[in-house]
């Protein structure tokens, strides 16, 4: 079975579906040429990554809390994300060595599809060299960042248990990001070395972890205020997608966090029915494959000279092929390795409760 269900938190899978689709829309230029409004909505696609990061913080807190120890928790997290990442990185490098660059950053930053690039990616340390960090797929910089916080966030979960501590962690990371960005520009001439590092996105993982803590504290409490907050988060999300202004990513990330706390089948049944519809659960279940596979599909279309002249039509075709490919990679790679990770974690003393 491809669709993954988690009961009252099925809506999170729907949010993953939206985040993945946002990223594909941006990279295909699906709406960019339709109108000025379409261009604004299209450009918001990059903030799908912020949605993923907030959800990842929630997931780290949940899976670590459910596990009986750090080691079984980490086994499951690594088996969840690393195998498919390695396969897609190898596919991207093979494509680049064949003369088809999947990522424009390969050329722009003068990287090469060589052994060094491969080792940096497979070691999950590619963020240490911005020239290769995003050079293979054009989206892969986020994966080593997630792995970094999978490893480190459990150590600092105490900072995600109160709002004041979360603000403190976010403040420290913001200052550190600013200082490192200044130094990066001064010595390297670019802030990319920080933008694609764990430091710059770390605040979303703390925010996501706090949403798990707060959701547990609230339990099944239902009130008009909670319902208003949930629908207000949807309004914030729609506003940030529809209008271009400074801080759009922050609004989308915070809206996602509010939904993780407030959304439930008892508080906002209409909203959760939409987010937990079968098609949303299907897309959300394979969203990780969609995220990593769609740049390869786009490169395949470009190398084959397939271009209808309509960004939206191209998006529909690329999205359809990506869904097909992602279903295959989920069945062949993700599901077996997820099960292997759960089995190993169980042997090591962890509880099998996949997220």
């Amino acid at each position: 079975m491809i669709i993954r269900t988690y009961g009252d938190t099925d809506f999170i899978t729907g949010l993953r579906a939206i985040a993945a689709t946002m990223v594909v829309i941006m990279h295909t230029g699906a709406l960019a040429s339709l109108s000025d409004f379409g261009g604004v909505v299209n450009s918001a696609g990059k903030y799908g990554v912020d949605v993923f990061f907030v959800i990842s913080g929630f997931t780290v807190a949940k899976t670590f809390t459910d596990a009986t120890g750090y080691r079984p928790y980490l086994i499951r997290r690594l088996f969840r994300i690393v195998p498919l990442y390695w396969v897609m990185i190898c596919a991207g490098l093979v494509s680049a060595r064949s003369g088809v660059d999947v990522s424009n950053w390969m050329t722009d930053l003068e990287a090469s599809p060589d052994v060094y690039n491969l080792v940096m990616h497979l070691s999950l340390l590619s963020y240490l060299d911005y020239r290769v960090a995003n050079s293979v797929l054009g989206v892969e910089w986020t994966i080593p960042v997630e792995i970094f916080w999978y490893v480190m966030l459990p150590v600092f979960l105490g900072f995600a248990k109160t709002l004041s501590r979360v603000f403190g962690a976010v403040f420290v990371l913001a200052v550190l990001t600013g200082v490192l960005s200044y130094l990066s520009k001064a010595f390297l001439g670019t802030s990319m070395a920080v933008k694609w590092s764990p430091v710059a996105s770390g605040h979303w993982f703390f925010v996501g972890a706090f949403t798990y803590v707060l959701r547990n504290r609230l339990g099944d409490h239902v009130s008009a205020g909670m319902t208003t907050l949930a629908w207000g988060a949807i309004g914030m999300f729609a506003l940030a997608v529809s209008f271009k202004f400074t801080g759009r990513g922050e609004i989308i990330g915070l809206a996602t966090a509010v939904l993780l706390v407030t959304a439930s089948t008892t508080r906002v049944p209409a909203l959760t029915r939409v987010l937990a519809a079968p098609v949303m659960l299907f897309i959300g279940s394979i969203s990780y494959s969609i995220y990593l596979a769609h740049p390869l599909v786009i490169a395949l279309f470009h190398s084959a000279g397939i271009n209808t002249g309509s960004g939206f039509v191209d998006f529909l075709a690329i999205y359809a092929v990506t869904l097909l490919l992602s279903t295959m990679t989920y069945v062949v790679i993700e599901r077996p390795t997820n099960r292997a990770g759960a089995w190993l974690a169980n042997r090591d003393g962890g509880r099998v409760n996949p997220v």
Side-chain angles (χ1 to χ4, degrees):
M1 184 176 180
I2 292 177
I3 293 179
R4 307 168 75 182
T5 61
Y6 310 103
D8 196 46
T9 56
D10 274 351
F11 74 93
I12 296 178
T13 303
L15 290 175
R16 287 188 174 110
I18 291 172
T21 303
M22 287 172 65
V23 175
V24 180
I25 285 174
M26 179 190 66
H27 286 145
T28 56
L31 308 174
S33 62
L34 295 182
S35 64
D36 290 341
F37 175 73
V40 171
V41 174
N42 199 94
S43 67
K46 62 184 176 181
Y47 303 120
V49 170
D50 296 325
V51 176
F52 277 128
F53 283 159
V54 175
I55 292 174
S56 290
F58 179 97
T59 301
V60 168
K62 176 172 173 51
T63 52
F64 182 70
T65 301
D66 287 347
T68 56
Y70 180 81
R71 182 173 167 178
Y73 148 79
L74 192 58
I75 288 172
R76 288 183 52 211
R77 286 294 90 202
L78 293 179
F79 271 78
R80 169 71 185 93
I81 199 170
V82 172
L84 181 66
Y85 169 75
W86 279 348
V87 170
M88 291 302 184
I89 287 298
C90 290
L93 286 171
V94 168
S95 176
R97 290 189 68 84
S98 300
V100 180
D101 286 345
V102 179
S103 170
N104 291 332
W105 294 110
M106 182 74 78
T107 301
D108 293 349
L109 296 179
E110 299 181 346
S112 300
D114 52 19
V115 173
Y116 170 75
N117 200 327
L118 176 65
V119 170
M120 290 297 288
H121 278 89
L122 296 190
S123 66
L124 303 168
L125 296 174
S126 52
Y127 53 79
L128 295 177
D129 186 346
Y130 75 94
R131 296 170 303 168
V132 302
N134 209 33
S135 65
V136 179
L137 300 174
V139 298
E140 81 272 13
W141 69 273
T142 63
I143 309 306
V145 167
E146 286 212 25
I147 294 295
F148 177 91
W149 287 110
Y150 284 175
V151 173
M152 297 302 299
L153 188 58
V155 180
F156 296 103
L157 272 183
F159 287 92
K161 290 185 177 180
T162 66
L163 187 58
S164 60
R165 290 182 178 181
V166 170
F167 274 127
V170 170
F171 176 76
V172 169
L173 286 168
V175 171
L176 189 57
T177 299
V179 171
L180 292 177
S181 294
Y182 173 81
L183 294 175
S184 178
K185 287 180 180 178
F187 291 98
L188 300 176
T190 177
S191 63
M192 288 297 182
V194 180
K195 178 182 177 181
W196 291 334
S197 76
V199 174
S201 303
H203 59 293
W204 288 132
F205 290 86
F206 280 93
V207 169
F210 179 67
T211 65
Y212 173 74
V213 173
L214 190 55
R215 184 179 180 89
N216 275 356
R217 288 178 184 170
L218 293 172
D220 295 325
H221 175 69
V222 178
S223 68
M226 295 284 284
T227 300
T228 300
L229 281 172
W231 286 111
I234 291 295
M236 289 167 57
F237 198 108
L239 179 71
V241 168
S242 303
F243 296 93
K244 199 167 188 177
F245 56 88
T246 302
R248 295 169 80 194
E250 285 70 22
I251 294 296
I252 288 174
L254 289 175
T256 302
V258 172
L259 285 174
L260 292 182
V261 174
T262 60
S264 73
T265 55
T266 54
R267 295 176 190 134
V268 279
L271 173 61
T272 53
R273 276 198 299 271
V274 172
L275 290 175
V279 65
M280 298 295 283
L281 292 181
F282 168 70
I283 296 173
S285 295
I286 62 172
S287 59
Y288 181 45
S289 283
I290 291 172
Y291 180 76
L292 288 180
H294 80 273
L296 291 165
V297 176
I298 292 173
L300 177 64
F301 269 61
H302 288 172
S303 64
I306 302 174
N307 187 344
T308 66
S310 167
F312 187 69
V313 174
D314 288 344
F315 159 74
L316 292 177
I318 290 169
Y319 196 57
V321 174
T322 300
L323 287 177
L324 178 60
L325 177 59
S326 298
T327 301
M328 294 171 58
T329 56
Y330 179 83
V331 171
V332 175
I333 302 172
E334 283 197 77
R335 188 163 59 183
T337 54
N338 286 346
R339 288 175 175 172
W343 179 77
L344 286 173
N346 192 42
R347 284 192 62 187
D348 206 56
R351 302 171 192 167
V352 180
N353 180 26
V355 172

